[in-house]
Amino acid sequence: QVQLVASGGGLVQPGGSLRLSCAASGSIFSISTMAWYHQAPGKQRELVGSITSGSNTNYADSVKGRFTISRDNAKNTMYLQMNSLKPEDTAVYYCHARVLTYGSSSLRSYWGQGTQVTVSS
């Protein structure tokens, strides 16, 4: 019923920038909190940061001051602006959303498919 599509990943040099997008579509009545996670090879998936429907944000200590999460509620889209990228930021980045669909009375969790970010010279 709901699809999340993450895009914008790629290869970037240390110190560079990338902007990821996560577009939600389907039978969406409203979207509550949205979030970005990342998963490096051999490691568990970790929270990068989150944004509420009112655009209040929260970040992991490792990305504070370098990454910025924003959203466009009219487009059901979330963004992750990543600056001053480091090799340790290399991971697959996943988006997540808590969504209320039409005809439902409770929020459900949805995941995007992931987009690879590689930081290397």
Side-chain angles (χ1 to χ4, degrees):
Q1 281 187 315
V2 174
Q3 298 79 39
L4 298 182
V5 178
S7 62
L11 173 64
V12 64
Q13 292 187 342
S17 298
L18 277 177
R19 189 193 195 207
L20 307 184
S21 298
C22 174
S25 62
S27 183
I28 298 170
F29 179 77
S30 66
I31 301 178
S32 179
T33 300
M34 303 182 78
W36 288 99
Y37 288 77
H38 66 195
Q39 186 168 19
K43 294 188 177 182
Q44 290 188 332
R45 192 172 297 188
E46 298 178 335
L47 178 67
V48 173
S50 62
I51 184 167
T52 67
S53 57
S55 293
N56 292 311
T57 55
N58 181 58
Y59 299 96
D61 287 343
S62 61
V63 306
K64 281 181 181 176
R66 300 188 298 122
F67 290 9
T68 303
I69 298 175
S70 60
R71 63 190 283 175
D72 183 335
N73 290 330
K75 296 182 179 179
N76 289 331
T77 300
M78 173 179 62
Y79 305 96
L80 177 64
Q81 178 66 44
M82 303 185 292
N83 298 328
S84 302
L85 281 161
K86 304 175 181 179
E88 51 262 44
D89 295 318
T90 295
V92 178
Y93 283 71
Y94 297 91
C95 56
H96 174 269
R98 296 272 289 166
V99 181
L100 183 65
T101 56
Y102 286 102
S104 177
S105 60
S106 60
L107 294 166
R108 287 188 60 186
S109 287
Y110 294 88
W111 289 92
Q113 85 287 3
T115 184
Q116 176 70 46
V117 171
T118 302
V119 184
S120 176
S121 55

